[in-house]
Amino acid sequence: MTDTAEFPPDDDRARDTGFEAAPTGWLTPEDIAAARAQLPLVYVDAVPVQVDESGDVVSVGLLLRATPLGSMTRALVSGRVLYHERVRDALLRHIEKDLGPVALPQIPASPQPFTVAEYFPTPGITPFHDPRQHAISLAYVVPVNGDCRPQQNALDLAWLTPEEACSDTVQAEMVNGQGTLVRQAMAHVGRLD
Amino acid sequence: MTDTAEFPPDDDRARDTGFEAAPTGWLTPEDIAAARAQLPLVYVDAVPVQVDESGDVVSVGLLLRATPLGSMTRALVSGRVLYHERVRDALLRHIEKDLGPVALPQIPASPQPFTVAEYFPTPGITPFHDPRQHAISLAYVVPVNGDCRPQQNALDLAWLTPEEACSDTVQAEMVNGQGTLVRQAMAHVGRLD
Amino acid sequence: MTDTAEFPPDDDRARDTGFEAAPTGWLTPEDIAAARAQLPLVYVDAVPVQVDESGDVVSVGLLLRATPLGSMTRALVSGRVLYHERVRDALLRHIEKDLGPVALPQIPASPQPFTVAEYFPTPGITPFHDPRQHAISLAYVVPVNGDCRPQQNALDLAWLTPEEACSDTVQAEMVNGQGTLVRQAMAHVGRLD
Amino acid sequence: MTDTAEFPPDDDRARDTGFEAAPTGWLTPEDIAAARAQLPLVYVDAVPVQVDESGDVVSVGLLLRATPLGSMTRALVSGRVLYHERVRDALLRHIEKDLGPVALPQIPASPQPFTVAEYFPTPGITPFHDPRQHAISLAYVVPVNGDCRPQQNALDLAWLTPEEACSDTVQAEMVNGQGTLVRQAMAHVGRLD
């Protein structure tokens, strides 16, 4: 159901702009730049977790990425909701895009997110910041059962305990407030340090 | 904090397009038409309620509106989240716009909505439908304590019991799935018939 | 991890009293009768569902039971939380007890229930009623992946669509407010009729 | 609606046992001791907050109490749900008991708690611990509008910013995991440090 036609070879460039490449006739890059300067965009954030048979969170999956300047950051699965796409389909698409096709995520039955992360272009209004745009992100904890293989521009996927993911060291490796989002997720599942 | 400068005299026209009038330099109507055809927009839906001292919902407030064709519909408080606006500020602004400046709404402390209503331009994908656009709406139950006076193009505000609001008669007077959203809200507060 | 020693042969009798049989030294039946007359008891209610790969609910599982008077009722998975038992372990135990050992339930990662159903011995205070006791039940939607085989005193497990589960016919076959709880669950997952 | 007859002069003794004094014919102290050793009890925890007009949390109210050994601890509003009492009424009763009769709390319209805190008599199973009993506590964030006056055995009520309430100093003054519960509450309202 995830249309791979949405991910042409220039997807990395698309990622740089924060937008997936899209069929002809869609917004031009100029239109998109105009829209992103004047409309909040809808995003989803997924916190991938592994759980035991009682549903208790055992580990949290964080992507390792290299910044253009060569430093390393850890990140959540995150991306835009497309026009005419359901939130749950966007969630599945971004998880498969980042964790591979056999991650077997358990997409939540309910659309109720555990929080809404508001990424402002201006820092300090909320804990979340995105210099490129105003993004309103629905955040979900998503258990994955399968075999995760980081895709695209992620170097690695590391499974950390909830305690490690909330530690100062790991928090310092996350940017734009995603460290806070991880701790909010751990609070929600009862695993905040 | 609600900038009334956002609501110039041509606001009714703006409402017809679903967008508030905005300062010069903002998206032109053409840009907006282009964006709304290609990006999901962020909305908030508020279900205004009156509660007793134990927080139990006593009544639900529905706006009465005339359609262009002269029939009557009942509606929730609903509107777009603007660029660089927090969700909670959008919620307050739309409630004050529709219920007046002394409604004294209790905006929720948590950004977690009780549901996310996905209004698709195509009917039948979800229970929600918006022929104009793809809107992703964060839905909240909002107790109001003050004196509500319907503003602008609402003819009246009626306070109904939860049972009345979920009745077939009232449900038939709501459009685009808002009747379903009222029932989801009543389910959330434990007052579904 | 589910201690089958908790389910000795006299379990059906235990069910009649609403309490599982317990190791020697535990509350006597008289103590339990006294406690249940004077303390609210903690329960869990599980709404078993089947979901598609996007997490959308496809069907709802309802148990078919015969009443002592010979009529048929449909019921959710429901049961008490034991002393020193975590809520998530109680949820797993009751699901395995009612749906069999290979139902493979996805116990929620978060302890946040979608609602709290308050079963009062007096009808009419809430939509929920339990003539035997005051039970406060944490309610969860639980996707199951495996093969469900109704156990013990359930005659059958029927998978119904959300629409069927919310229909008047099926609602009339549920007692003590569990029909309302099913509809609250469907509202929560965005599948209320 | 809060029956002050439930709080006779020996209430402090009752508090020491964790149970409110109750009408004749109720459980004897021996029965209660037996029940609390063998059944989980239902509690509510309230995190009192002050909010601005947009619902954003400005401050968190913590009670200051002296322990029998003379040291000071900070605590949330917390207490048992009585037989035949609704959760929302228990929440109102305990808030009025601890914060006084004119605190004007906004009891949540929805029974959905932001988390369930499981206090085990054995430390380490969850972040929550109660040496006296197994308590399962429904936790709510409750905005208060009025004038709070600490009652009974609380020495003071301090309003702290979310940052202060989550600081190491204040966290060290809270016991049995209530510091964790405050941070979970701040995560839920988007104000985790």
Side-chain angles (χ1 to χ4, degrees):
Chain A
M1 62 131 294
T2 300
D3 188 354
T4 54
E6 285 176 8
F7 306 105
D10 64 343
D11 188 57
D12 277 359
R13 192 185 59 78
R15 172 176 286 277
D16 289 341
T17 67
F19 281 85
E20 291 76 16
T24 316
W26 237 229
L27 287 181
T28 65
E30 293 72 28
D31 291 340
I32 285 174
R36 97 177 340 159
Q38 298 181 24
L39 287 174
L41 299 173
V42 189
Y43 267 64
V44 287
D45 272 310
V47 182
V49 299
Q50 291 177 319
V51 298
D52 66 17
E53 68 164 355
S54 299
D56 207 22
V57 171
V58 171
S59 57
V60 182
L62 296 177
L63 297 163
L64 199 64
R65 290 216 167 99
T67 67
L69 299 176
S71 66
M72 293 294 167
T73 60
R74 293 184 191 271
L76 297 174
V77 172
S78 185
R80 197 163 66 86
V81 180
L82 298 177
Y83 183 75
H84 219 278
E85 184 181 41
R86 291 185 306 173
V87 169
R88 54 175 76 255
D89 294 325
L91 208 45
L92 179 59
R93 177 171 59 83
H94 287 291
I95 290 170
E96 292 191 341
K97 184 186 64 183
D98 281 347
L99 303 186
V102 290
L104 303 181
Q106 299 173 1
I107 307 295
S110 170
Q112 185 182 41
F114 73 87
T115 199
V116 176
E118 304 179 65
Y119 293 84
F120 277 83
T122 314
I125 295 175
T126 70
F128 308 103
H129 176 229
D130 187 335
R132 305 168 305 172
Q133 62 200 2
H134 177 194
I136 297 178
S137 185
L138 308 177
Y140 300 90
V141 173
V142 182
V144 296
N145 294 325
D147 189 17
C148 293
R149 295 177 194 161
Q151 307 284 309
Q152 304 199 60
N153 58 358
L155 303 178
D156 195 11
L157 173 75
W159 290 103
L160 307 175
T161 65
E163 293 71 27
E164 289 167 348
C166 295
S167 70
D168 289 348
T169 313
V170 171
Q171 290 280 312
E173 294 166 349
M174 302 191 78
V175 295
N176 296 340
Q178 288 204 338
T180 296
L181 198 54
V182 166
R183 285 186 296 134
Q184 288 179 336
M186 292 304 101
H188 179 66
V189 300
R191 293 302 305 268
L192 186 66
D193 237 355
Chain B
M1 64 129 293
T2 301
D3 188 353
T4 54
E6 284 176 11
F7 307 106
D10 64 344
D11 187 57
D12 277 358
R13 194 183 58 78
R15 172 176 286 275
D16 289 341
T17 68
F19 280 85
E20 291 77 15
T24 314
W26 237 227
L27 288 181
T28 65
E30 292 72 27
D31 291 340
I32 285 175
R36 96 175 341 158
Q38 298 181 24
L39 288 173
L41 299 173
V42 189
Y43 268 63
V44 287
D45 273 309
V47 182
V49 298
Q50 291 178 319
V51 297
D52 66 18
E53 70 165 354
S54 298
D56 205 22
V57 171
V58 170
S59 57
V60 182
L62 295 178
L63 297 163
L64 199 64
R65 289 213 167 100
T67 68
L69 298 177
S71 65
M72 294 294 165
T73 60
R74 295 184 190 272
L76 297 173
V77 173
S78 185
R80 199 164 64 86
V81 180
L82 298 177
Y83 183 75
H84 220 280
E85 183 181 42
R86 292 185 306 174
V87 169
R88 54 175 75 256
D89 294 326
L91 208 45
L92 179 58
R93 177 171 59 81
H94 286 291
I95 290 171
E96 292 192 340
K97 185 185 64 183
D98 281 347
L99 304 186
V102 290
L104 305 180
Q106 299 173 2
I107 306 296
S110 170
Q112 184 182 41
F114 73 87
T115 199
V116 177
E118 304 180 65
Y119 293 85
F120 278 82
T122 312
I125 295 174
T126 71
F128 307 104
H129 176 230
D130 187 336
R132 304 168 305 172
Q133 61 199 3
H134 177 195
I136 297 178
S137 184
L138 309 177
Y140 300 92
V141 173
V142 182
V144 295
N145 294 325
D147 190 15
C148 294
R149 295 176 195 162
Q151 308 282 310
Q152 306 198 62
N153 59 358
L155 303 178
D156 196 11
L157 173 75
W159 289 104
L160 307 174
T161 64
E163 292 72 26
E164 289 167 347
C166 295
S167 69
D168 289 347
T169 313
V170 171
Q171 291 280 311
E173 294 166 348
M174 304 190 77
V175 294
N176 295 340
Q178 289 205 335
T180 297
L181 197 54
V182 166
R183 285 185 297 135
Q184 287 179 336
M186 291 306 99
H188 179 64
V189 299
R191 292 304 304 270
L192 186 65
D193 239 353
Chain C
M1 62 132 293
T2 300
D3 189 352
T4 53
E6 285 175 10
F7 306 104
D10 64 345
D11 187 56
D12 277 359
R13 193 183 58 79
R15 173 177 284 278
D16 289 341
T17 67
F19 281 86
E20 293 75 17
T24 314
W26 236 229
L27 288 180
T28 65
E30 292 73 28
D31 291 340
I32 285 174
R36 102 180 331 163
Q38 299 182 21
L39 288 173
L41 299 173
V42 190
Y43 267 64
V44 287
D45 272 310
V47 182
V49 297
Q50 291 178 321
V51 298
D52 67 18
E53 71 165 354
S54 298
D56 206 21
V57 170
V58 171
S59 57
V60 182
L62 296 178
L63 297 163
L64 200 63
R65 289 215 167 99
T67 66
L69 298 177
S71 65
M72 292 294 165
T73 61
R74 293 185 190 272
L76 297 173
V77 172
S78 184
R80 198 163 65 87
V81 180
L82 297 177
Y83 183 76
H84 221 280
E85 183 181 42
R86 292 185 306 173
V87 169
R88 55 176 75 257
D89 294 326
L91 208 44
L92 179 59
R93 178 171 59 80
H94 286 291
I95 290 170
E96 292 192 340
K97 184 186 63 182
D98 281 347
L99 304 186
V102 290
L104 304 180
Q106 299 173 3
I107 306 296
S110 170
Q112 185 182 41
F114 73 88
T115 199
V116 176
E118 305 179 66
Y119 293 84
F120 277 83
T122 313
I125 295 174
T126 70
F128 308 104
H129 175 230
D130 187 336
R132 305 169 303 173
Q133 60 199 5
H134 177 195
I136 297 178
S137 184
L138 309 176
Y140 301 90
V141 172
V142 183
V144 296
N145 294 326
D147 189 16
C148 294
R149 294 177 196 163
Q151 307 283 310
Q152 304 198 62
N153 57 359
L155 303 177
D156 195 12
L157 173 75
W159 290 103
L160 307 175
T161 65
E163 293 71 27
E164 289 167 346
C166 295
S167 69
D168 289 348
T169 313
V170 172
Q171 290 280 313
E173 293 167 348
M174 303 189 77
V175 294
N176 296 340
Q178 288 205 336
T180 297
L181 197 54
V182 167
R183 285 186 296 135
Q184 288 180 335
M186 292 305 100
H188 180 65
V189 299
R191 291 303 305 269
L192 186 65
D193 239 352
Chain D
M1 62 129 291
T2 302
D3 188 354
T4 54
E6 284 176 10
F7 306 104
D10 65 343
D11 187 58
D12 277 0
R13 193 184 58 79
R15 173 176 285 278
D16 288 342
T17 67
F19 281 86
E20 292 77 16
T24 315
W26 236 228
L27 288 180
T28 65
E30 292 72 28
D31 291 340
I32 285 174
R36 98 177 338 158
Q38 299 182 23
L39 288 174
L41 299 173
V42 189
Y43 267 64
V44 287
D45 272 310
V47 181
V49 299
Q50 292 178 320
V51 298
D52 67 18
E53 69 163 356
S54 298
D56 206 21
V57 170
V58 171
S59 57
V60 182
L62 296 178
L63 297 163
L64 200 63
R65 290 217 167 98
T67 67
L69 298 176
S71 65
M72 293 295 166
T73 61
R74 294 185 191 271
L76 297 173
V77 172
S78 186
R80 197 163 67 86
V81 180
L82 298 177
Y83 182 75
H84 220 279
E85 184 181 41
R86 291 186 306 174
V87 169
R88 54 176 75 256
D89 294 325
L91 207 45
L92 179 59
R93 177 171 59 82
H94 286 291
I95 290 171
E96 292 192 340
K97 184 185 65 183
D98 281 348
L99 303 185
V102 290
L104 303 181
Q106 297 174 2
I107 306 297
S110 170
Q112 185 183 41
F114 72 89
T115 199
V116 176
E118 304 180 64
Y119 293 84
F120 278 83
T122 313
I125 294 174
T126 71
F128 308 104
H129 175 229
D130 186 337
R132 305 169 303 173
Q133 61 200 2
H134 177 195
I136 297 178
S137 185
L138 309 176
Y140 300 90
V141 172
V142 182
V144 295
N145 294 326
D147 190 16
C148 294
R149 295 176 194 161
Q151 306 284 309
Q152 304 199 61
N153 59 356
L155 302 177
D156 196 11
L157 173 76
W159 290 102
L160 308 175
T161 65
E163 293 72 26
E164 290 168 346
C166 295
S167 70
D168 289 348
T169 313
V170 171
Q171 290 280 312
E173 294 167 349
M174 303 190 78
V175 295
N176 295 341
Q178 289 205 336
T180 296
L181 197 55
V182 166
R183 285 187 296 134
Q184 288 179 336
M186 292 305 101
H188 179 65
V189 299
R191 293 302 306 270
L192 186 66
D193 235 354

